[in-house]
Amino acid sequence: MTVPNNASQALQRIRADVRAMQGYHVQASQGLLKMDTMENPYRLSADLQKQLGERLGALEINRYPGERLEVLKKMLADYAGAPAGSAVLLGNGSDEIITLLALATAQPHEAGRAKMLAPMPGFVMYPLSAKLQGLDFVPVTLTADFDLDVPAMQAAIAEQKPAITYIAYPNNPTATLWAEDKVQAVIDAVAQVGGLVVMDEAYQPFASRSWIHRMKAEPERNAHVLLMRTLSKFGLAGARLGYLIGPAAIVNELDKVRPPYNISVLNCETAIFALEHESLYAEQAAAIRAERQPLIDALTAIKGVEKVWPSEANMVLLRVVDAGKAQAEMKARGVLVKNVSAMHPLLNNCLRLTVGTREENAQMLAALKESL
Ligand SMILES: Cc1ncc(COP(=O)(O)O)c(C=O)c1O
């Protein structure tokens, strides 16, 4: 197809680095058992669907979002047990908050460009947000068994003086929850260079610890720490609701770069509804956690699985002989998982699986066995 001259000229106005990059790829999943993105497998009961439908139907969608967001923020702060003196920022998923953090800290036109640091392999949106907003990304490689390399982190922080350091707690895709003393050592190192730390707790419903307790126990030592969470893995991936909790003085500055109406009245009310049924979601998370170790044990026993790592999230990372072939053959058998091999050399031939219901896990295990 020929591109008209005006269109091809207009295309040149889009940044060359953007034109050169690949977009975030969402795997087509229709008709497949979706075990690739750590979603909660449970839907609302018919009765709760009806109740939520009535609530959403009655909203004033002709109006911009308003005060109801304050109700949601208060509910989230209570749910998380936010420390005194903290404020909450809402994002259209925590992905948007990651973008806003980069936007608020980038200094692309100054001689000393701002930097973002994170252990890698880690969440892909950190380096992507840095690239798009003009921060230099500083990856610090994890140890071979995916532990935090504290001396390497301390050295990189002292040298690079990052504006933002991300710690995914637990980490994606390794599902590791790093030891508290190691994480605190990184946080202390960042304090020395005057940076922000973002504790990304996307997988908190499945983890044995949250950083919120450290923030409350030692508020001054953690006064430069922001806690980022999302309702996605909690069970609301479709509703898109992320939140950031931190000292009001910092959060209020970040809030200035947020598009004013980024949370729709529908997202907001859905999140309020879900928090009103918090115990239901807690039961779902407990059910998923209960299926995790049996899944890891079953994976470990499969011939052709070389290694399975422990997990503090609703995902399991494993190594097989040929991850590309295994992923394709599982897909041919109706099960979609993620081949993370290309993300980092340490992830060579690794697959990442979602922990689902017992039935889903059984179907996934059967497909994997046949695929190896
Ligand atoms: C570590 C981590 N942080 C943040 C997110 C973003 O989640 P969402 O934008 O759905 O809130 C994810 C999603 O997979 C993640 O793995």
Side-chain angles (χ1 to χ4, degrees):
M1 202 184 78
T2 53
V3 181
N5 197 31
N6 50 355
S8 76
Q9 279 180 337
L11 207 53
Q12 300 306 309
R13 296 293 188 157
I14 295 175
R15 281 163 42 177
D17 61 333
V18 171
R19 279 182 282 130
M21 70 188 247
Q22 298 284 331
Y24 187 95
H25 180 60
V26 178
Q27 302 193 83
S29 62
Q30 208 170 13
L32 299 171
L33 175 61
K34 216 174 161 310
M35 304 297 269
D36 61 331
T37 52
M38 290 80 76
E39 289 146 326
N40 176 337
Y42 300 104
R43 297 192 58 180
L44 287 178
S45 66
D47 180 43
L48 289 179
Q49 283 183 27
K50 188 163 171 289
Q51 286 182 36
L52 176 61
E54 281 167 10
R55 286 264 285 266
L56 297 184
L59 289 173
E60 288 188 283
I61 53 170
N62 54 316
R63 303 267 176 220
Y64 284 111
E67 283 79 35
R68 210 54 186 147
L69 291 168
E70 296 308 315
V71 174
L72 175 58
K73 283 188 194 173
K74 168 88 175 63
M75 288 177 88
L76 288 167
D78 291 345
Y79 170 72
S86 45
V88 178
L89 175 145
L90 299 178
N92 202 273
S94 43
D95 279 347
E96 189 188 38
I97 299 178
I98 293 169
T99 300
L100 298 179
L101 283 161
L103 191 60
T105 53
Q107 316 253 14
H109 304 300
E110 289 187 7
R113 278 165 55 104
K115 293 180 179 160
M116 178 192 291
L117 183 144
M120 286 282 141
F123 187 42
V124 289
M125 293 307 288
Y126 311 149
L128 184 62
S129 70
K131 181 181 161 72
L132 289 175
Q133 307 297 341
L135 290 98
D136 291 332
F137 185 73
V138 182
V140 180
T141 307
L142 294 171
T143 66
D145 56 353
F146 302 132
D147 201 0
L148 262 190
D149 187 340
V150 175
M153 290 287 288
Q154 287 168 323
I157 289 164
E159 193 187 320
Q160 305 285 344
K161 303 184 175 41
I164 299 193
T165 297
Y166 274 102
I167 301 281
Y169 193 74
N171 190 38
N172 173 13
T174 63
T176 341
L177 188 74
W178 296 307
E180 262 185 19
D181 58 339
K182 293 186 181 174
V183 173
Q184 189 66 63
V186 171
I187 289 174
D188 293 348
V190 175
Q192 296 288 314
V193 299
L196 291 164
V197 176
V198 181
M199 295 298 295
D200 180 351
E201 293 196 349
Y203 299 94
Q204 175 274 330
F206 314 101
S208 57
R209 284 177 270 124
S210 163
W211 202 256
I212 202 102
H213 303 295
R214 297 287 313 137
M215 290 165 79
K216 285 201 270 202
E218 290 196 272
E220 280 182 23
R221 199 172 175 190
N222 290 284
H224 58 306
V225 176
L226 302 165
L227 185 91
M228 187 169 72
R229 296 243 188 117
T230 174
L231 293 184
S232 291
K233 315 299 168 179
F234 175 90
L236 254 60
R240 312 304 298 132
L241 206 294
Y243 57 109
L244 186 79
I245 294 174
I250 301 175
V251 171
N252 292 343
E253 293 305 318
L254 294 169
D255 205 47
K256 292 179 186 170
V257 301
R258 182 182 56 80
Y261 304 120
N262 63 332
I263 306 298
S264 87
V265 293
L266 300 165
N267 297 14
C268 175
E269 202 59 41
T270 304
I272 289 175
F273 184 83
L275 290 167
E276 286 169 0
H277 297 87
E278 186 192 318
S279 60
L280 180 70
Y281 288 92
E283 280 166 29
Q284 294 174 356
I288 294 165
R289 282 198 306 269
E291 294 304 327
R292 182 170 57 199
Q293 196 54 45
L295 173 63
I296 291 175
D297 293 343
L299 287 166
T300 312
I302 296 178
K303 201 162 156 272
V305 171
E306 298 197 334
K307 184 160 179 144
V308 187
W309 280 270
S311 170
E312 286 262 1
N314 62 338
M315 69 181 106
V316 177
L317 187 75
L318 65 147
R319 175 164 289 134
V320 294
V321 176
D322 184 342
K325 180 166 165 284
Q327 194 269 353
E329 296 209 3
M330 287 181 81
K331 190 170 175 183
R333 289 169 174 79
V335 180
L336 194 62
V337 298
K338 180 101 174 165
N339 172 11
V340 292
S341 308
M343 280 171 57
H344 194 278
L346 283 181
L347 298 173
N348 189 30
N349 278 320
C350 286
L351 294 175
R352 188 193 64 198
L353 317 180
T354 303
V355 184
T357 62
R358 187 167 304 172
E359 295 71 29
E360 287 176 334
N361 296 342
Q363 195 182 331
M364 178 168 66
L365 283 163
L368 178 64
K369 249 184 225 163
E370 289 170 19
S371 303
L372 293 177

